[in-house]
Amino acid sequence: MIKGITHVSAIASGAEFDRVSSLFSALGFEQGKGWQDAQGRGAAFLAPIGNLEFVTGREPAVPTVLVEVTQLDHMRSLVEKWLLASYRTEEIPEILSAAELTHWNSRLFTVQITTELRIGFWQSENPLHGQPEAVEGDLSAAGMRFAVVTTRWNTVITDRLLQGSLDALHRSGAARADIEIVRVPGAWEVPSAARTLAESKRFDAIITLGCLLRGETAHYEAIYNEVARGIGQSQQETGVPHAFGVLTCETLEQALDRAGLKAGNKGFEAASAAIEMVSIQRKLAAQNGQGKK
């Protein structure tokens, strides 16, 4: 099993060796295990990722040592500052190149550390370069079944949330026949209904809607904590995604703002999250060989 790659560069003199070591230390490389004996010495510098590349047909257009960075201009400033401590100002343009675009969609600058050692520093112009691939959900609700639990209490708010949820579902391709709406008295009853619907296994996701106003309910926090806990527990124990669209606001005005007047519609957002979570679950199940057909 391959464990790592080491590129070894010979440096002619001890003074140049010390200078190169000081540069790599100044740039923030993690120092590895060095060595020293009667014939010479070595210093190791570690990078998070190592690559070994071979070419044929033409000479490489880049130095044999390439260091990929995320802030190329800042890195060049550090190298220039380091050079100013050892070289005259007029010598630096001959040693340190400008950062220029390459034909491989990157920017690159080089520094001639010693006669034998030239190092290139580069940064990709592609913002997604090197980023790990992620499983993400799609916003297509076609073929999915949803249950929406909403409340009769504070209907001036919850009806707006419900309308937002239905809007998101229909826009995303959900059929009307695949959406079931359940009305419960208040927010306290939402977790129980959500749990019953989830355990029926008839739905791909449950969308929970409600509204709690501090000004109207003396035991506001106790109710909210239990509602949130109950919905979360139902989701964890049934494995069916539950989208949380229960508003907790100080005033009716704040609730209206979050139900579509100023700050978006929480019902729309909850339905969108439900669609995405169903999509993610299906993709993960497919990767495990258990995808729906």
Side-chain angles (χ1 to χ4, degrees), residues 154 156-157 211 213 216 249-257:
N154 285 326
V156 68
I157 302 299
C211 178
L213 301 178
E216 296 182 6
C249 302
E250 298 289 330
T251 64
L252 179 62
E253 182 181 4
Q254 289 179 355
L256 286 169
D257 287 345

Side-chain angles (χ1 to χ4, degrees), residues 13 16 50-51 64 78 82 101 103 115 119 140 152 157 160 163-164 172 206 232 248 259 277:
S13 70
E16 289 181 336
N51 299 296
T64 56
L78 289 177
W82 176 82
L101 285 171
H103 67 277
T115 305
I119 300 177
S140 171
R152 291 198 306 271
I157 302 299
R160 293 170 182 263
Q163 211 48 53
S172 302
I206 314 297
T248 53
M277 284 306 301

